Amino acid sequence: MRRFRFLLPVATLLVVAALTAGCGSKGVSLAKNDPDYEGAELFVEHCSGCHTLSVVGTEGSAVNVRTRERKDGPNFNQRKEDAGDVLYAIENGGFSSGPMPQDILTGEDAKKVAAFVAKYSGRSGPQSTEPGSGSSDAQ
């Protein structure tokens, strides 16, 4: 009986760990030798909690307005961005004084993520016409 008491919590922890290891991210679907791979990895590390982008398997954006959280950022599957707008958002904490931290990435890392998002954003769904959505060249 004593052995069973010990094994039950261990087995429960192993099941929970296995389930949570696969939640919320499918992983980067780019080849490691792809020039955008590092930007994709940085996006997963720093942006996946708030933004959705299927090429890296992230699901951080709200899908239901009733359950939306303050931290839910734009869905980049639907919203096309250009590199300049993404870099501006990274450096300035977004466009609308939301919860995005300023300078979440800096220097070359910020540029890599901006280039990655610009290349892969807006590949499905309707295009946004919101300010800062990449639909204009104004900064």
Side-chain angles (χ1 to χ4, degrees):
M1 185 70 172
R2 221 171 242 236
R3 179 182 285 179
F4 180 72
R5 275 194 215 157
F6 172 74
L7 290 178
L8 184 62
V10 171
T12 303
L13 285 173
L14 289 173
V15 168
V16 170
L19 289 173
T20 56
C23 289
S25 181
K26 298 173 192 166
V28 176
S29 64
L30 302 176
K32 288 190 178 189
N33 63 351
D34 188 303
D36 295 309
Y37 185 82
E38 193 172 349
E41 284 285 311
L42 290 165
F43 182 90
V44 169
E45 290 173 27
H46 298 278
C47 312
S48 62
C50 301
H51 297 283
T52 296
L53 190 54
S54 61
V55 70
V56 289
T58 64
E59 299 176 356
S61 304
V63 293
N64 182 337
V65 77
R66 285 184 226 144
T67 59
R68 181 175 167 81
E69 297 176 346
R70 185 170 187 269
K71 70 168 188 69
D72 294 332
N75 180 334
F76 291 131
N77 286 331
Q78 298 173 342
R79 182 168 158 167
K80 180 66 179 156
E81 294 289 348
D82 66 37
D85 284 346
V86 175
L87 193 56
Y88 177 92
I90 291 170
E91 292 171 345
N92 295 287
F95 287 94
S96 60
S97 68
M100 185 170 164
Q102 186 174 1
D103 290 324
I104 192 165
L105 291 161
T106 59
E108 288 303 311
D109 287 348
K111 290 177 185 174
K112 288 174 186 175
V113 169
F116 166 73
V117 171
K119 183 173 181 179
Y120 290 97
S121 65
R123 292 198 170 190
S124 65
Q127 299 300 303
S128 175
T129 57
E130 297 175 32
S133 67
S135 58
S136 73
D137 293 332
Q139 296 263 346

